[in-house]
Amino acid sequence: DTEVTQTPKHLVMGMTNKKSLKCEQHMGHRAMYWYKQKAKKPPELMFVYSYEKLSINESVPSRFSPECPNSSLLNLHLHALQPEDSALYLCASSQDYQVGGKAFFGQGTRLTVV
Amino acid sequence: AQSVTQLDSHVSVSEGTPVLLRCNYSSSYSPSLFWYVQHPNKGLQLLLKYTSAATLVKGINGFEAEFKKSETSFHLTKPSAHMSDAAEYFCVVSDQGGSYIPTFGRGTSLIVHP
């Protein structure tokens, strides 16, 4: 299994809603990432988890809250988002971000904030 | 710090003609280099990767890339373009200095004319 699975594929939420994005991998990878991608732009790093601990937060607003409940799962909790947060949210994993290796990306969740 | 420069924002070719997408990198270490493709409204798919083995790397769908350390380049090529190759292509670098976190180029949009 060399897949990173993201759910849902599409999400529409209001600015007062609370929702969560989910990411799952079963490759035994110990590094997991959240990226945000706006249209016609490259993905921008948001968070890095290493061995289920948050290692990097790229100054992301607190309305985005990551969680890594176990080595296979990564969640992104969303609350009080703004329309400008509408984007494609990509999850990725790699063997270990300190050691390096190929990163696998999920298909993304396309988020629309209304 | 690691960085990657994609020299062309758009490349336009005719179906059946060769494709060349250019990428230059900057790294103080031995980098890993990747090419990803993203079709409209889709996630990222790995085309190929270089991780210090053979300098000529073959990927999926007939793409290949050559790592040239003296030129700090990792250009992506394909002998004959197909309509289905029309997409956004990202060159990505990761190295020890950047904790192996994938760093993206700005992307190159490949347009294929009939």
Side-chain angles (χ1 to χ4, degrees):
Chain A
D1 184 358
T2 58
E3 283 192 350
V4 175
T5 303
Q6 289 187 245
T7 55
K9 287 187 168 43
H10 301 273
L11 178 63
V12 179
M13 62 184 290
M15 289 187 284
T16 58
N17 291 161
K18 287 184 181 180
K19 297 286 184 183
S20 296
L21 310 185
K22 181 179 173 182
C23 174
E24 194 166 2
Q25 57 87 14
H26 296 286
M27 295 176 279
H29 288 172
R30 304 315 299 265
M32 297 186 77
Y33 313 79
W34 280 115
Y35 284 82
K36 174 182 177 181
Q37 187 182 24
K38 301 286 278 184
K40 307 292 186 185
K41 297 288 187 183
E44 297 176 351
L45 184 68
M46 299 174 72
F47 302 104
V48 179
Y49 270 82
S50 177
Y51 290 84
E52 297 139 62
K53 294 197 183 321
L54 182 63
S55 297
I56 294 176
N57 176 343
E58 292 286 286
S59 302
V60 179
S62 59
R63 58 185 183 268
F64 295 91
S65 175
E67 178 198 21
C68 190
N70 61 56
S71 61
S72 299
L73 281 175
L74 184 66
N75 298 321
L76 186 63
H77 302 299
L78 314 172
H79 173 54
L81 294 193
Q82 303 297 310
E84 59 264 30
D85 296 322
S86 298
L88 181 68
Y89 288 85
L90 292 162
C91 173
S93 71
S94 64
Q95 182 181 356
D96 181 336
Y97 93 99
Q98 297 283 9
V99 173
K102 184 169 62 176
F104 291 81
F105 282 82
Q107 291 298 299
T109 294
R110 187 159 300 281
L111 174 68
T112 303
V113 181
V114 297
Chain B
Q2 62 189 28
S3 66
V4 63
T5 302
Q6 290 183 246
L7 296 157
D8 306 296
S9 60
H10 296 86
V11 169
S12 183
V13 301
S14 297
E15 190 175 21
T17 63
V19 175
L20 170 64
L21 305 183
R22 297 183 294 166
C23 172
N24 286 97
Y25 70 91
S26 174
S27 173
S28 301
Y29 301 88
S30 297
S32 294
L33 292 156
F34 310 82
W35 276 99
Y36 286 88
V37 62
Q38 187 174 36
H39 288 91
N41 298 312
K42 298 289 186 184
L44 294 166
Q45 181 183 20
L46 180 67
L47 280 176
L48 49 81
K49 66 177 178 72
Y50 165 79
T51 53
S52 76
T55 56
L56 182 61
V57 181
K58 293 188 185 301
I60 61 171
N61 300 335
F63 285 95
E64 62 181 40
E66 186 171 7
F67 174 74
K68 292 186 176 180
K69 187 174 180 179
S70 60
E71 299 175 11
T72 61
S73 68
F74 189 59
H75 301 334
L76 182 70
T77 61
K78 183 173 180 178
S80 176
H82 192 272
M83 294 297 291
S84 61
D85 294 327
E88 192 79 14
Y89 290 79
F90 292 101
C91 183
V92 177
V93 65
S94 71
D95 72 11
Q96 179 182 349
S99 295
Y100 294 104
I101 296 168
T103 298
F104 283 76
R106 63 172 176 170
T108 297
S109 180
L110 177 63
I111 302 159
V112 182
H113 299 286

